[in-house]
Amino acid sequence: METVTLWRPTGPEELALVEASGWHEWPPRLLDQPIFYPVLNEDYATKIARDWNVKASGVGFVTRFEVEKAFLDRYDVQQAGGRTILEYWIPAEDLDEFNRHIVGLIELVAEYR
């Protein structure tokens, strides 16, 4: 099975919910969050964690995880700015199914304060 490596910048509240899941899944989106956006490179995830999450909550984390490529193929990669600012836009209503296609565990790879 082919997988795609994704990264997710996150704050402490979301990370606590991921940890509570046994590092297996992302929590449901809040009402004002219609999409879940994992990103395609660590540099972009790091920038968001450092520049946005630290400012918002005092700490930012970068996670890494694998998702089945066959599942991700139904979504287009979105360019959210520069050439390397790439992410998937997963509708909130698809997140449960997205979680079922995560291969292995979600890993914490960096922390910024």
Side-chain angles (χ1 to χ4, degrees):
M1 163 189 3
E2 189 176 355
T3 62
V4 175
T5 302
L6 298 175
W7 285 265
R8 170 92 176 148
T10 187
E13 295 85 9
E14 185 176 57
L15 188 67
L17 295 171
V18 170
E19 184 177 16
S21 80
W23 301 94
H24 290 284
E25 64 185 27
W26 293 99
R29 301 291 79 204
L30 301 174
L31 292 178
D32 62 339
Q33 298 173 325
I35 61 172
F36 174 75
Y37 61 95
V39 304
L40 277 75
N41 69 71
E42 188 173 5
D43 289 341
Y44 179 33
T46 297
K47 180 174 178 43
I48 295 169
R50 275 195 327 236
D51 296 353
W52 299 354
N53 294 112
V54 170
K55 191 178 296 182
S57 59
V59 62
F61 302 97
V62 176
T63 61
R64 176 180 58 222
F65 57 103
E66 301 286 324
V67 177
E68 294 174 16
K69 182 182 181 311
F71 174 78
L72 285 175
D73 284 346
R74 67 175 79 170
Y75 301 96
D76 293 328
V77 172
Q78 304 294 320
Q79 187 172 355
R83 193 170 36 104
T84 62
I85 301 183
L86 304 173
E87 54 195 31
Y88 282 101
W89 293 354
I90 310 298
E93 59 269 17
D94 294 354
L95 188 56
D96 284 342
E97 186 176 5
F98 177 90
N99 282 331
R100 289 192 294 275
H101 292 277
I102 293 175
V103 177
L105 298 176
I106 298 166
E107 302 173 82
L108 176 61
V109 296
E111 176 179 326
Y112 300 94
R113 295 189 177 268

